[in-house]
Amino acid sequence: MALKEGKEEIHVLMVTLPAQGHINPMLRLGKRLVDKGLDVTLATTQFGGHRMLKASTISTITDTFISGIRLLFFPDGFSLDYDRHTNLDHYMESLAKTGPANVSNLIQEYYHDTRKKLSCIISNPFVSWVVDAALENKIPCAMLWIQPCSLYAIYYRFYNKLNPFPTLTNPDMRIELPGLPLLHTEDLPSFVLPSNPFGSFPRLLSDMFQNMKRYKWVLANSFFELEKEAIDSMAELCPIRPIGPLVPPSLLGEDQSLYAGIELWKPDETSLEWLKNQPTASVIYVSFGSLAVLSAKLMEAIATALKNANHPFLWVVKPPELPSADGAGELPLGFEEETKNQGLIVPWSPQTKVLTHPSIACFITHCGWNSLLETFVAGVPVIAYPQWSDQPTNAKLIVDVLKVGLRLKPGPEGVISNEELEKCIKQILSWPESEEFKKNAAKWKQAAREAVACGGSSDRNIQLFVDEIVGSS
Ligand code: UDX
């Protein structure tokens, strides 16, 4: 239900880091709010704006709208050629110091000066300092949790010291938490492991989870039917409202004509042409998201397994931000030429279109939460090879709880072998296991569509959120 005509406009500002896995869910939520009648602005750094220009997502940095959402950009305090990737900790720490003032300036310039009333600010977990700017300007703040609700429950308990977690003296533990499957150390998010160096991401999460009262709303990119127990387990502690899956409308069988994504790299559309020429349910799709850079050894193992699998493959190999001395992120020499009749390698794919293509048989993924939600909704089985952050727990969920795939087991040195990957590919593509995975994938696809359809559990939660913003304006 949209706002009634003639009613005062309700303005919402969303703030995110310019990372693809963070922008996508924010933009998709923004579009849902626009559809409910709100006026939405998405702000990110000027560096992000520069990336969008380079990828031809936008043609100008001023007065730009995407999917009915206005884009604004604020400085992050560094020059465009500063290497944010290698200096991530320093960058994140510095952004947390300068960010609140920059977002406050944006609020002054854009809203106060134009006499528009800002009713809500939405941030995501890795710009948790946005809440400082919101409270300073007396604007209620919501957080969009961009990972599964299960992760929210784990972090909340960990950072508030509610349950025992592995320590340096007791690193291998079985963790029993309400609403979650039994977790072993390898299933936990890397940020809670004692071996994890205390970097900027865990520091931001720790600060956020110890101060959750600052948020008026906590929304999650998930849906109730997918994570009932985890969501219910938080109801008394710090409730979270699932409003997802936040995926492009086409994946949900909805009208796509008024939706466009924000791309930080230009998707290679030739992948779709190439897919058209492959047999139905034959192609292995491989992508490790926007941040992971795989070691040379791992690249070699994947390349060998794909060659031996005797299936067509589409592999996203995103060139590293900076060339590395040890060949990380690079294809083995001669591999592309050798396999040119079997596979296609692209620097960035139109992933959501790829996943729904009938030629796709399975997805080898790092288990980023956006990729997994897109996969459920497309109904594609997965082979999980988690890297860091939430990904190990996401892999546990999809393998043991949702049962839509298999997880690769690393060898003694922590790297998977090509034999292990070949075994999993065979298992996931051959009968009878493949039938079971496909059946479960189809079940989640249906549940996801019902959750976001008009009157579904996520749609009702978004409407409640909108009504509460309107009511408190
Ligand atoms: C990050 C974290 O790494 C992840 O663990 C967390 O769950 C979300 O934030 P990222 O690693 O980029 O995200 O992975 P993911 O969550 O899968 O997001 C990647 C997005 O880029 C997806 O929406 C995917 O559709 C898109 N993508 C990826 C493309 O459009 N093309 C590609 O070739 C690859």
Side-chain angles (χ1 to χ4, degrees), residues 19-22 85 264-265 287-292 318 321 348 366:
Q20 195 74 62
H22 301 192
H85 199 73
L264 300 178
W265 298 277
S287 166
F288 284 77
S290 62
L291 302 172
K318 194 164 102 30
E321 301 282 317
W348 192 248
H366 68 313

Side-chain angles (χ1 to χ4, degrees), residues 19-22 24-25 28 126 146-148 246 248 263 265 267 285-292 316-318 346-352 355 363 365-372 374 388-391 394:
Q20 195 74 62
H22 301 192
N24 287 3
R28 294 164 187 175
F126 300 103
I146 58 168
Q147 298 175 357
L246 298 167
E263 306 291 347
W265 298 277
Y285 174 55
V286 191
S287 166
F288 284 77
S290 62
L291 302 172
V316 178
V317 181
K318 194 164 102 30
V346 294
W348 192 248
S349 84
Q351 179 162 303
T352 53
L355 286 171
F363 181 15
T365 169
H366 68 313
C367 298
W369 189 233
N370 296 289
S371 290
L372 289 182
E374 290 157 7
W388 71 317
S389 177
D390 55 332
Q391 297 158 16
N394 300 351

Side-chain angles (χ1 to χ4, degrees), residues 248-448:
S250 60
L251 258 71
L252 298 161
E254 298 173 346
D255 179 13
Q256 177 86 6
S257 60
L258 297 175
Y259 179 83
I262 291 179
E263 306 291 347
L264 300 178
W265 298 277
K266 205 176 168 69
D268 187 328
E269 300 285 334
T270 58
S271 353
L272 300 174
E273 277 307 304
W274 180 85
L275 281 172
K276 261 193 211 157
N277 296 321
Q278 309 306 321
T280 306
S282 66
V283 176
I284 302 168
Y285 174 55
V286 191
S287 166
F288 284 77
S290 62
L291 302 172
V293 180
L294 306 188
S295 68
K297 220 169 172 179
L298 186 51
M299 293 294 285
E300 179 82 49
I302 297 175
T304 310
L306 289 176
K307 209 160 53 181
N308 293 344
N310 274 331
H311 269 267
F313 63 83
L314 174 61
W315 188 0
V316 178
V317 181
K318 194 164 102 30
E321 301 282 317
L322 293 171
S324 78
D326 57 4
E330 284 168 24
L331 286 166
L333 223 58
F335 174 77
E336 191 165 5
E337 177 60 24
E338 220 179 305
T339 55
K340 66 174 187 237
N341 294 325
Q342 187 192 353
L344 181 70
I345 291 152
V346 294
W348 192 248
S349 84
Q351 179 162 303
T352 53
K353 293 184 195 158
V354 165
L355 286 171
T356 43
H357 198 284
S359 299
I360 295 295
C362 70
F363 181 15
I364 302 177
T365 169
H366 68 313
C367 298
W369 189 233
N370 296 289
S371 290
L372 289 182
L373 286 174
E374 290 157 7
T375 312
F376 297 149
V377 183
V380 173
V382 302
I383 296 178
Y385 192 48
Q387 304 293 303
W388 71 317
S389 177
D390 55 332
Q391 297 158 16
T393 320
N394 300 351
K396 171 78 179 171
L397 290 178
I398 56 156
V399 174
D400 290 352
V401 182
L402 311 176
K403 300 188 190 312
V404 293
L406 297 168
R407 179 173 179 170
L408 295 171
K409 290 187 187 57
E413 284 172 33
V415 178
I416 53 138
S417 65
N418 60 296
E419 289 88 358
E420 166 70 6
L421 181 51
E422 284 165 40
K423 192 181 84 196
C424 280
I425 292 175
K426 269 206 193 95
Q427 223 175 322
I428 206 130
L429 294 183
S430 18
W431 194 88
E433 280 102 326
S434 68
E435 285 311 304
E436 201 49 37
F437 294 132
K438 279 190 215 148
K439 211 172 81 197
N440 291 332
K443 185 178 94 185
W444 292 116
K445 173 178 176 168
Q446 182 59 24

Side-chain angles (χ1 to χ4, degrees), residues 13-14 26 67 86 98 114 128 149 155 165 183 206 240 250 253 255 261 267 274 295 330 334 343 373 391 394 470:
L13 171 68
M14 310 178 97
M26 290 293 256
S67 296
T86 312
T98 57
T114 53
S128 50
C149 296
Y155 286 131
F165 279 84
L183 299 168
S206 166
I240 184 159
S250 60
D255 179 13
W274 180 85
S295 68
E330 284 168 24
L373 286 174
Q391 297 158 16
N394 300 351
V470 175

